[in-house]
Amino acid sequence: MWGDDAGLRYGGDYNPEQWPAEVWREDVALMRRARVNLVTVGVFAWSRLEPEPGRYTFDWLDQVLALLHDNGISVALATPTASPPPWFSLAHPDALPVTADGVRLHHGSRDTYCAAAPAYRAAARRIAAALADRYAHHPALALWHVHNEYGTTCHCAHTARAFRRWLADRHGDLDALNAAWATSFWSQHYTDWAQVDTPRATQYLANPGHLLDFRRFWSDTLLAAYAEQRDLLRAANPAVPVTTNHVLADWVPVDHARWAAEVDLVAIDHYPDATDGGAEEQTALAADLARGWARHGAGRRTGDVGRPARWLLMESAPNQIHSGGRMHAKEPGRMARHSLSHVARGSRGVMFFQWRAPAGGAERFHSALVPHAGPDTRVFREAVDLGATLERISEVDDGTVDAAVAIAWDAASGWALGHPGMPSPRLNHRDEMSAAHRALWRAGFGTDIVLPGDRLDGYRLLVLPALYLASEATADWVGGYVHGGGHLLVTWLSGVADEHARVRLDGHPGAFRDVLGVRVEEFHPLADGETVPLSDAGTGRLWAETVRLAGAEPVASYAGGPLAGLPAVTRHRSGAGTAWYLSTRPDDATYRRLVTQAARAAGATPVCPAAPAGVEAVRRRAAGASWLFLLNHTDRPQQVPAAGVDLLTGATAATEVHLPAGGAAVLRETGAAGRPGDPGRHDR
Ligand code: GLA
């Protein structure tokens, strides 16, 4: 069972259906050696569980669960609905997905279903119910893992019907829909619901409101598909938590924050795609995002109130970073540092895809804790070490994470910025959020990710990176925060449009113009590689704007190009607060300097001010205790001024911690740094 006292979870996707029973016995012995305590079973096992309609073959799964249980290993039991068997597609061709250009896809890979097709939904409920009937009270069962990485879309007739119903619910009538989508442009006015289709392939640019609503519709439709499985599983045994694993990718039409309230535990899969220091920055951001979603989670609303916002890293890669079409082997120690970075930021454990590398199948070269070369390998030895590490640091599990700065995230802004008719193809909410997060990460500030409307008390600084869509409620949220004394930093492209992606008039950034004390007249997107100098010796990239001051003071101006002499970075005292505006994307060094200036002016301090460059520091706290995670991402030994007992080695540091190259320490702190002071907001 998923108890609070079970310590950190460790394991990954386990696919016994790909192996004969002798291998299962070796697997379990190796799992014990690595101190694995949780494995995800059955994710893609539908054709092994139901080889023909209504005929179930559970005997192999019975044996696997019994073997795992006998060896003290718990199970996250998956429903296999992300990969219907071939018999299903042949029996229900109407449930196969259709692309925007009308091509019906066939089985032969995975995810070949339309989640709006009644036959698929019924079959998914049936297999979920069969698993619930048989295993809901199994002693190995710790967690239900519904489906895998919800994120598919479809354009079939079932989808079109469901989309129309969803639109009618959202907009009420066609007049409202026509207004929201601005259909007077290009003669798109609808006079009958039957005229409204999914955004199929069309001649030229599609309507932005139509595309945005289609994404929202899919998020809700996939959530409904998840929820009906969850309800069946819960009904069978309410004590077992239910979740699904979120994939972090721009193509996913899933508003993960809205899903958080529907899962008992937020779970993410994380695969950085940069081989340089970018992988570490991406890891920190993914973990902060997951914790931000967890703050909205079901667990927080019920039994978990008052506990830290915890979540689970459900999948990560043991040994590879896929970047630019190439697989890059992680350097020794890197997997452990990534894992510790997740735990430092609130993950309840570390899970991997996958336990054992298969000999065949499409993902045969994806990394595994037991690689093709077997357990006598560096990768498995590092897996064994990580198991021991997680046991040693399990006391951190109840700690909240310090964060002085909040960054706002909004899935729909990302979707809207993806429209091809934008002023530049380089506009991306995630990239802008990453740039802001990276600047703060490099400057050593703890960050939380928040959603528009969240409580902001306790944060020293709120950052809005390309928060393109802003409703009136969002504008009021930001305005109220600043007038009440909050410090705000807004980047270009924020507040430009309303929640339907209609541009706000009378000057950008419409929703935040007053609070920023600026009025933007024109956009000047830059070419790839083009830069613009700033008067403070900084550099801007990607974008520039004609900014007119309307109460704000200039902090830096454009120092070259057509905007020379005009403000680039501004600051505005508004009410009791201060609001900064960045009208360009500063390069990394400039960004770091600017966020440091804004954060320090707001009274924020870095987690470990004396940590050398390349050493990541994260602090967690619980009543009377604090833990400082120090991760040395450099290839040189480093010294960090800090005091406490390193849980990894048992050594006591009186004034300074010595980190080996690529190494880590988790200090149970003594001294002033660890005492509750004013770290900013705790994630309670
Ligand atoms: C995802 C999936 C897994 C697997 C891995 C490969 O996260 O959930 O099934 O495909 O990626 O990296």
Side-chain angles (χ1 to χ4, degrees):
M1 186 57 73
W2 182 276
D4 258 344
D5 49 352
L8 295 168
R9 305 321 196 265
Y10 180 45
D13 275 44
Y14 178 42
N15 299 99
E17 70 276 17
Q18 297 170 1
W19 300 95
E22 313 83 82
V23 179
W24 304 347
R25 284 186 283 280
E26 190 201 10
D27 284 332
V28 169
L30 293 174
M31 285 176 193
R32 288 184 63 129
R33 200 192 306 167
R35 302 172 204 228
V36 161
N37 56 24
L38 181 68
V39 289
T40 302
V41 178
V43 178
F44 292 110
W46 196 341
S47 64
R48 287 293 308 274
L49 291 169
E50 191 183 2
E52 55 190 66
R55 184 168 72 81
Y56 299 108
T57 46
F58 289 129
D59 46 327
W60 66 273
L61 187 54
D62 292 349
Q63 289 173 48
V64 168
L65 295 196
L67 182 65
L68 290 166
H69 180 63
D70 289 348
N71 285 277
I73 300 161
S74 297
V75 171
L77 188 56
T79 65
T81 51
S83 198
W87 60 253
F88 174 80
S89 354
L90 291 176
H92 303 282
D94 64 304
L96 284 164
V98 174
T99 63
D101 42 11
V103 175
R104 198 175 275 282
L105 303 177
H106 288 267
H107 64 253
S109 179
R110 68 185 198 189
D111 288 298
T112 43
Y113 53 81
C114 164
Y120 167 73
R121 293 277 280 269
R125 285 193 300 270
R126 273 196 305 274
I127 184 75
L131 285 162
D133 270 359
R134 192 163 187 99
Y135 299 112
H137 294 275
H138 195 287
L141 180 67
L143 181 66
W144 287 109
H145 175 305
V146 173
H147 199 86
N148 188 67
E149 296 189 338
Y150 277 103
T152 53
T153 63
C154 175
H155 290 262
C156 72
H158 297 300
T159 301
R161 269 193 297 278
F163 186 41
R164 279 182 213 115
R165 282 196 298 273
W166 183 93
L167 289 169
D169 272 358
R170 178 174 173 81
H171 295 285
D173 58 34
L174 277 178
D175 287 346
L177 178 136
N178 279 308
W181 291 5
T183 54
S184 49
F185 189 81
W186 282 350
S187 181
Q188 292 173 353
H189 189 84
Y190 294 104
T191 54
D192 191 315
W193 283 105
Q195 297 160 1
V196 183
D197 204 340
T198 65
R200 307 284 295 244
T202 186
Q203 187 72 0
Y204 184 40
L205 301 176
N207 180 302
H210 191 181
L211 288 177
L212 183 58
D213 272 349
F214 192 58
R215 287 265 194 158
R216 289 176 167 139
F217 155 77
W218 269 113
S219 185
D220 288 355
T221 302
L222 294 169
L223 181 56
Y226 159 78
E228 64 192 22
Q229 289 197 41
R230 175 203 59 197
D231 293 348
L232 282 166
L233 301 169
R234 257 192 204 154
N237 183 355
V240 179
V242 187
T243 192
T244 183
N245 51 338
H246 295 327
V247 54
L248 278 53
D250 289 337
W251 50 265
V252 183
V254 170
D255 186 341
H256 297 110
R258 292 198 51 212
W259 283 49
E262 306 290 336
V263 295
D264 294 316
L265 176 73
V266 166
I268 65 160
D269 297 350
H270 190 244
Y271 297 95
D273 63 5
T275 52
D276 58 8
E280 285 64 45
E281 296 159 3
Q282 291 174 3
T283 299
L285 173 58
D288 284 347
L289 258 174
R291 192 174 69 260
W293 297 332
R295 214 173 295 111
H296 295 260
R300 302 282 293 163
R301 289 180 302 125
T302 54
D304 222 10
V305 170
R307 305 195 69 101
R310 292 178 298 186
W311 53 278
L312 181 65
L313 175 66
M314 186 65 99
E315 285 184 29
S316 54
N319 182 38
Q320 283 163 357
I321 297 175
H322 291 205
S323 177
R326 180 174 71 96
M327 297 185 188
H328 168 93
K330 287 184 186 172
E331 294 74 6
R334 201 168 188 186
M335 177 268 272
R337 290 199 313 279
H338 288 183
S339 302
L340 288 172
S341 178
H342 282 292
V343 173
R345 291 180 166 76
S347 178
R348 305 216 58 195
V350 178
M351 305 282 286
F352 291 97
F353 177 85
Q354 52 199 320
W355 168 251
R356 185 185 277 278
E363 293 188 326
R364 62 212 178 283
F365 289 114
H366 280 243
S367 63
L369 293 170
V370 182
H372 287 139
D376 182 14
T377 48
R378 169 181 77 88
V379 174
F380 187 69
R381 282 187 282 279
E382 288 194 25
V384 172
D385 289 348
L386 180 61
T389 292
L390 293 174
E391 276 194 7
R392 281 190 213 117
I393 67 168
S394 64
E395 66 187 59
V396 306
D397 190 32
D398 216 21
T400 58
V401 180
D402 278 5
V405 181
I407 304 178
W409 176 85
D410 174 46
S413 285
W415 300 340
L417 283 172
H419 187 268
M422 298 297 286
S424 157
R426 302 276 169 271
L427 311 181
N428 183 305
H429 179 48
R430 185 184 297 271
D431 284 356
E432 293 318 306
M433 195 172 73
S434 303
H437 188 271
R438 177 164 64 241
L440 288 157
W441 185 84
R442 290 186 180 176
F445 292 99
T447 47
D448 270 352
I449 307 297
V450 297
L451 309 179
D454 277 1
R455 284 180 53 191
L456 295 170
D457 46 303
Y459 294 118
R460 297 297 185 155
L461 178 69
L462 169 66
V463 180
L464 308 185
L467 194 80
Y468 178 65
L469 304 181
S471 63
E472 282 308 299
T474 298
D476 291 347
W477 172 67
V478 172
Y481 165 75
V482 176
H483 282 105
H487 288 242
L488 172 74
L489 188 146
V490 176
T491 84
W492 51 290
L493 274 180
S494 296
V496 168
D498 69 9
E499 66 271 35
H500 301 297
R502 292 174 306 201
V503 175
R504 290 170 170 275
L505 303 180
D506 300 324
H508 311 300
F512 309 129
R513 205 171 47 221
D514 292 345
V515 83
L516 292 167
V518 297
R519 190 167 154 274
V520 172
E521 287 185 20
E522 287 179 63
F523 296 149
H524 303 267
L526 305 184
D528 281 355
E530 193 185 353
T531 58
V532 57
L534 305 180
S535 60
D536 63 354
T539 302
R541 297 175 50 231
L542 287 171
W543 189 262
E545 292 178 340
T546 309
V547 179
R548 304 289 177 202
L549 300 177
E553 53 174 328
V555 173
S557 308
Y558 291 104
L563 300 177
L566 293 179
V569 179
T570 64
R571 185 172 48 210
H572 185 219
R573 312 256 177 238
S574 177
T578 302
W580 299 64
Y581 184 57
L582 305 186
S583 67
T584 182
R585 157 82 90 78
D587 69 6
D588 283 346
T590 313
Y591 214 152
R592 178 176 170 175
R593 180 162 48 72
L594 285 168
V595 293
T596 302
Q597 202 183 336
R600 286 202 182 269
T605 45
V607 172
C608 184
V615 173
E616 177 178 355
V618 185
R619 183 172 282 115
R620 296 185 68 165
R621 296 173 194 269
S626 74
W627 299 272
L628 181 64
F629 286 71
L630 294 169
L631 311 176
N632 178 9
H633 299 307
T634 75
D635 55 8
R636 294 173 310 282
Q638 301 283 0
Q639 265 66 259
V640 186
V645 177
D646 182 358
L647 301 179
L648 304 187
T649 60
T652 300
T655 55
E656 202 169 53
V657 179
H658 300 267
L659 297 170
V666 180
L667 285 193
R668 187 195 297 131
E669 290 185 288
T670 48
R675 281 204 288 278
D678 185 14
R681 184 189 170 92
H682 291 195
D683 53 7
R684 289 180 193 278

